[in-house]
Amino acid sequence: MFRSLQSDDHNLITLSVNGRSVKARKGQSVWSAMAVAGEVVTRKAALSGNARSAYCAMGVCFECMVEIDGLANQQACLSRVAEGMNVSTQVITEDIEADAGL
């Protein structure tokens, strides 16, 4: 679906995306590294559980929220890859009954 326009293998780093080892170029956004690797689901919607993905890819829509190195609510389109980084699909559920005090 997505591919990199650069063909050289220079400045490659390795990160983990949903437990899978992925190669990316140093300085590349987390979102672009995920997309090239075929990992396009960034989060699950809180209420429906539907898969969500980057929409604008420039930091405006907040649809690309992922968990990076255990820290939730990180924008994949604005975050840069780093050697050994662990990225995972963010799953936040909302307990409607608990929030309503039921």
Side-chain angles (χ1 to χ4, degrees):
M1 179 179 218
F2 294 96
R3 66 180 178 84
S4 177
L5 296 177
Q6 296 180 352
S7 60
D8 66 335
D9 289 338
H10 293 59
N11 296 317
L12 288 181
I13 57 110
T14 303
L15 66 147
S16 172
V17 178
N18 293 323
R20 194 174 111 209
S21 182
V22 170
K23 296 280 186 189
R25 282 180 183 74
K26 191 173 183 176
Q28 187 174 1
S29 73
V30 170
W31 162 245
S32 64
M34 290 177 70
V36 168
E39 296 277 350
V40 295
V41 176
T42 55
R43 67 182 185 92
K44 301 287 184 158
L47 293 177
S48 68
N50 292 338
R52 306 297 293 186
S53 188
Y55 180 72
C56 72
M58 61 182 192
V60 178
C61 71
F62 293 89
E63 290 295 326
C64 66
M65 300 297 237
V66 294
E67 187 174 300
I68 298 177
D69 293 332
L71 188 58
N73 297 322
Q74 302 301 301
Q75 285 180 272
C77 68
L78 296 181
S79 301
R80 299 289 169 214
V81 295
E83 182 67 42
M85 177 183 274
N86 289 303
V87 179
S88 58
T89 298
Q90 183 165 285
V91 180
I92 296 178
T93 59
E94 189 169 309
D95 189 341
I96 297 171
E97 290 181 0
D99 289 343
L102 301 176

